[in-house]
Amino acid sequence: MQRYRRLLLRFLRPYAPRFSISLAATVAGSLLDGLTFALLIPFLRAIFDETALLPQLEGAKPNGAERMLEWLFGPLLAAGDRDTAFRNVVLLILGAVALKNVLTYIGRLGGAVVQERVVRDLRVALYSHLQGMRLDYYQRTRGGQLLTRMLADTEQARPLVGDQATQVLQAVTSVLVYLAVLVSISWRLTLLALVLVPFLALALRPLIGKLRRRSRTHLDARGELTAMMTETLQGVRLVKAYAAEDYERRRFVDAAHGAERLVVKWQKLALLSHPLSESFGALTTVILLWFGAQMTAGPGASLRPESFIAFLFVALRLLTPLKVLVTFPAQAQQALTAMERVFEILDQPPLERQASGTVELDRFNERIDFEAVGFSYDGGPPVLEGVTFTARRGEIVALVGPSGAGKSTLVDLVPRFYDPTAGRILIDGRDSRECTLASLRRLMGIVSQETVLFNDTVRANIAYGALDRYSAAEIEAAARAANAHAFIERLPDGYDTLLGERGTRLSGGERQRIAIARALLRDPPILILDEATSALDTESERLVQEAIDRLLAGRTVFVIAHRLSTVQHATQILVLERGRVVERGRHEELLAAGGLYRRLYELQFREP
C-alpha cells in the first residue's frame, strides 16, 4: 500500500481536478442508476394494473423507496389518469438511464485520460531517473529488465489509477446506492444478504496473498525473457557467425516455457476469483428468492410483489459491482508488484546527477593534473593506484599496457563517468568534482572502437544532441574533414538518410568516420581516443587515420593504444600494469629502458 500511496501522491496529484470531476460524474451516474431501479416499483404496479402507481397514493403504507419516489416525483406519478402517470414513469426511467450513461461516459473518459497521463509520467520519470545513474549501474543491471520495467511494468499502473479506479469508485457508490434501495424496500432481506458477504471475503483472502507472491516471480521471468531477446538481437552477427541459431532458439524456448508456466500458475489463481464470486452470487440469489417468497405469500405478507421484484432486480444488479470490488484486489496484485519494481529503480539514488558540481567550465586553458588517483568499483580491489601525471594543452598522452591494466578506467575518470576513490583530478587547477557534469563534458569529445550511431539521419548523428546549433555547411565541413562526405553523398538521401538501428547500413570504417565528424563538429579542446583503427581494413584504416590526424591537431588527447605503432609520436606514453604507472616517457626512451613497453613492442613487431 505504501507504493500505491506514493503513486497517488506523486503521479496522480497533478491531475486531481480532472480526476475529481471524473469521480463526481461517476458517483452521480451511480445515484441515477439506483434511482432507475427504484422507478421499477411504480412501473411494475402499472403492469400489475394497480389503481395507483405508488401505494401511498391509494392510502396504503409505503416503504422507504416509495416515500422517496413520492417526494421526488409525486406530482408526475399522480398526474391525471393512470395512463398519463405510466407514461411519466417510462419517460423518467428513460431520462434517468440516458443521463446516467452520459455521466458514466464522462467519468470513464476522464479516468482514461488520467491513466494514460499517469503511465506517461511514470515512464518519463523512470527514463529521466535512469539518465542520472552512473555507468556501473548499467553494467550490473540487464538492459532487458530495464526495458520491461519502463514499458510493461509502468503499463500495469492502469488498474490503480484512471479509468479502472473510477470503475472501482463507481462500484463502491453503486453498492452503497443499491444497499440503500434494498434497505428501503426490505431491511430484513438486505440483512440476510449482508450476512453472507463476509464468507466470500474470507474465501478470497488467501488467494490474494498467493497472487501477490507469484506476481513478482512472473514479472521477473518476463524481464529475463526480454533481456535474452535484446541480447540475441544485438548479437545477431555473432549468433550467425557461430551457427548458434539452434542453441539460442533452445535457450529462448526454455525461457519462454518457464515464463509461460509462471503466468499459467498466476492465472490459475487469478481466474478463481470470478467463479467463486459467481457461485456466491447464485447461492445468495436462491436464498433471497426463498425468503422473499415467504414474505410475499399469504394474508400476512409484509412485502408487496412489485416491491419484491424490484428488490430482486436491484439485488441481482448488486452482484456486478460486488464482483468488481471482490476481484479488484486479485487483479491489482500484479499491478502493485509492478509498481514495486518501478519504485525500486526510482528509489536508487541517481549518483551521477547528485555528484554534479556547481562550477560552470566555459573553456580549457592549460593542463589536466592527476594527483595520486586511485579507483575501485563498489569497494572492491583497486583498479587504479597512485596514478600521477600532467597532460598539458596540446599534448598527446598515450596509455598502453596489457589487458586489464586500467587504461579504460583511467580515461573514464576524465569526463567523470566515475569519480576517483582516492586522489583528485584537476582541470586548470580546479577539482573536476566541483564542476557541473554538463559543462565538463562539453569540453570533451570521445571516439572509441565501438561507434554508437542512432536510428536517425546522418545529419542528426553528426550533430548529435545539438542539431539546431549547427548549420548544414558546418556539418558538411566536419564530414569532409573526417573523410566522410564522399560516401554520405552516395547514400540514397545523402545527409538525410536514416542509418537504421546502430548504423547497420554503414561499414565499420564509415561508422568511425561519422563518429570523427561528430567530434570535429563539436571541436572539443580535450579528446579521448580509444584507438579506432584496429578492426578496420587497410583502406578504411588509412581514411580513418587521416581524419584522426586532423582531429588531434591542437587538442589535449588521451589515446588508449592497442597498436604501439600509432603512439610513437605521443608527447608522453604512460605504461600501466595492474592499475599502476610503471613507466613513462617518449617512444625512444621507453624502448631504450628495456622494460614492459619494450617487451610489449617486441611482442607486436618481432619477426616470425
Side-chain angles (χ1 to χ4, degrees):
M1 289 308 294
Q2 181 183 1
R3 305 291 190 191
Y4 187 39
R5 285 195 296 271
R6 289 182 62 184
L7 178 66
L8 293 180
L9 291 175
R10 179 172 175 182
F11 294 98
L12 192 57
R13 181 183 289 172
Y15 309 109
R18 179 186 288 269
F19 195 57
S20 299
I21 293 171
S22 173
L23 297 183
T26 300
V27 170
S30 298
L31 292 172
L32 284 170
D33 196 33
L35 179 62
T36 302
F37 283 103
L39 285 167
L40 286 175
I41 295 174
F43 182 82
L44 290 169
R45 284 181 68 85
I47 291 177
F48 293 155
D49 204 24
E50 298 286 346
T51 55
L53 299 192
L54 290 176
Q56 61 265 44
L57 299 179
E58 59 183 12
K61 183 179 178 182
N63 57 42
E66 292 162 340
R67 285 195 297 270
M68 178 194 68
L69 290 174
E70 203 280 331
W71 177 70
L72 289 173
F73 309 115
L76 291 173
L77 299 179
D81 58 85
R82 179 181 161 280
D83 290 340
T84 302
F86 179 67
R87 182 202 63 193
N88 291 341
V89 171
V90 172
L91 291 175
L92 284 171
I93 291 174
L94 292 176
V97 170
L99 184 57
K100 181 209 80 167
N101 286 323
V102 169
L103 290 170
T104 301
Y105 173 78
I106 292 172
R108 292 195 175 181
L109 178 61
V113 171
V114 168
Q115 78 178 14
E116 289 301 326
R117 292 182 180 176
V118 167
V119 170
R120 176 202 64 192
D121 292 349
L122 263 174
R123 287 174 177 158
V124 170
L126 198 57
Y127 185 82
S128 300
H129 189 81
L130 286 171
Q131 298 303 307
M133 307 299 281
R134 291 195 322 192
L135 283 179
D136 55 345
Y137 177 80
Y138 295 96
Q139 291 168 351
R140 64 175 183 266
T141 308
R142 301 191 75 184
Q145 285 285 2
L146 294 179
L147 284 175
T148 299
R149 297 192 190 201
M150 188 176 298
L151 299 177
D153 289 355
T154 52
E155 190 76 14
Q156 296 294 328
R158 294 178 186 277
L160 304 179
V161 296
D163 181 37
Q164 289 177 299
T166 58
Q167 289 182 38
V168 171
L169 178 68
Q170 183 181 29
V172 171
T173 308
S174 297
V175 167
L176 295 176
V177 171
Y178 294 159
L179 284 176
V181 174
L182 292 175
V183 169
S184 68
I185 295 174
S186 173
W187 65 268
R188 291 181 180 86
L189 285 178
T190 306
L191 183 61
L192 176 63
L194 290 177
V195 167
L196 299 173
V197 171
F199 292 102
L200 179 62
L202 289 173
L204 289 177
R205 188 172 181 179
L207 179 68
I208 292 170
K210 287 183 179 179
L211 279 171
R212 187 174 185 83
R213 290 190 295 273
R214 290 192 177 176
S215 291
R216 178 72 190 217
T217 308
H218 127 239
L219 288 173
D220 287 342
R222 186 168 62 182
E224 285 301 309
L225 196 64
T226 306
M228 183 180 295
M229 189 183 303
T230 303
E231 288 175 348
T232 306
L233 293 175
Q234 290 177 346
V236 65
R237 187 182 296 272
L238 178 66
V239 173
K240 292 188 176 298
Y242 281 80
E245 291 91 344
D246 288 339
Y247 169 73
E248 290 296 342
R249 190 180 297 111
R250 288 194 300 272
R251 284 182 67 217
F252 187 80
V253 167
D254 290 342
H257 281 319
E260 172 262 331
R261 285 191 295 270
L262 290 171
V263 172
V264 169
K265 286 181 180 179
W266 183 86
Q267 290 284 6
K268 283 179 181 178
L269 291 175
L271 294 175
L272 272 177
S273 59
H274 180 75
L276 282 174
S277 60
E278 193 77 31
S279 301
F280 170 79
L283 176 63
T284 303
T285 303
V286 170
I287 293 173
L288 289 176
L289 278 171
W290 190 84
F291 277 97
Q294 305 302 312
M295 295 173 67
T296 57
S302 59
L303 193 63
R304 284 180 295 277
E306 70 274 8
S307 294
F308 178 56
I309 294 174
F311 185 94
L312 282 179
F313 267 110
V314 177
L316 291 173
R317 181 74 171 179
L318 178 64
L319 294 178
T320 301
L322 272 179
K323 278 192 283 188
V324 171
L325 295 179
V326 168
T327 57
F328 180 74
Q331 295 170 351
Q333 291 311 305
Q334 186 172 6
L336 288 169
T337 305
M339 287 304 96
E340 288 180 1
R341 285 161 49 88
V342 169
F343 280 110
E344 276 179 4
I345 296 179
L346 293 176
D347 288 341
Q348 292 275 345
L351 297 178
E352 182 173 272
R353 185 178 296 131
Q354 291 174 355
S356 185
T358 58
V359 177
E360 291 285 339
L361 289 177
D362 55 0
R363 63 175 60 86
F364 170 62
N365 296 317
E366 297 180 4
R367 53 194 284 166
I368 300 174
D369 295 299
F370 279 65
E371 295 185 350
V373 169
F375 180 78
S376 61
Y377 292 98
D378 296 324
V383 180
L384 295 173
E385 288 185 273
V387 175
T388 300
F389 69 93
T390 296
R392 291 179 174 80
R393 184 177 178 87
E395 287 189 344
I396 299 175
V397 178
L399 307 173
V400 303
S403 179
K407 304 183 294 295
S408 295
T409 302
L410 190 148
V411 296
D412 282 345
L413 298 180
V414 180
R416 290 191 64 201
F417 292 149
Y418 306 100
D419 283 327
T421 52
R424 58 180 185 165
I425 300 173
L426 305 177
I427 310 290
D428 288 337
R430 184 181 294 277
D431 193 324
S432 63
R433 285 171 288 202
E434 299 175 5
C435 306
T436 64
L437 290 171
S439 66
L440 177 68
R441 291 170 182 172
R442 276 197 295 269
L443 299 177
M444 301 180 188
I446 300 175
V447 180
S448 62
Q449 279 182 309
E450 185 180 353
T451 304
V452 177
L453 298 178
F454 294 94
N455 185 22
D456 207 337
T457 63
V458 176
R459 188 186 315 279
N461 271 282
I462 294 176
Y464 177 66
L467 185 57
D468 57 343
R469 193 186 309 165
Y470 301 106
S471 66
E474 290 174 315
I475 293 172
E476 183 177 323
R480 287 182 183 277
N483 285 341
H485 178 73
F487 79 79
I488 293 173
E489 285 288 281
R490 291 195 297 270
L491 293 173
D493 297 310
Y495 284 84
D496 294 316
T497 303
L498 285 173
L499 292 181
E501 189 174 358
R502 300 173 67 86
T504 50
R505 298 188 62 160
L506 304 180
S507 69
E510 289 169 342
R511 288 197 296 270
Q512 290 291 22
R513 281 177 273 166
I514 292 289
I516 293 169
R518 180 190 294 163
L520 283 166
L521 181 65
R522 193 171 183 176
D523 193 24
I526 302 168
L527 180 66
I528 296 171
L529 185 64
D530 186 350
E531 188 172 342
T533 60
S534 58
L536 303 180
D537 58 73
T538 304
E539 178 61 19
S540 295
E541 181 179 356
R542 181 185 65 78
L543 292 170
V544 171
Q545 192 60 54
E546 287 178 6
I548 288 174
D549 291 340
R550 297 190 190 102
L551 183 61
L552 298 182
R555 308 180 201 279
T556 301
V557 184
F558 296 88
V559 180
I560 297 177
H562 304 287
R563 295 183 182 181
L564 299 186
S565 60
T566 63
V567 299
Q568 294 183 16
H569 304 294
T571 310
Q572 60 174 317
I573 300 171
L574 304 180
V575 184
L576 278 78
E577 185 177 29
R578 296 178 182 177
R580 293 181 174 273
V581 177
V582 294
E583 293 180 294
R584 70 182 70 205
R586 289 182 174 272
H587 173 71
E588 296 80 7
E589 297 168 350
L590 293 173
L591 282 180
L596 177 60
Y597 182 84
R598 183 183 179 92
R599 292 200 301 275
L600 293 172
Y601 187 84
E602 289 175 348
L603 282 172
Q604 286 191 15
F605 295 102
R606 66 185 176 187
E607 294 292 332

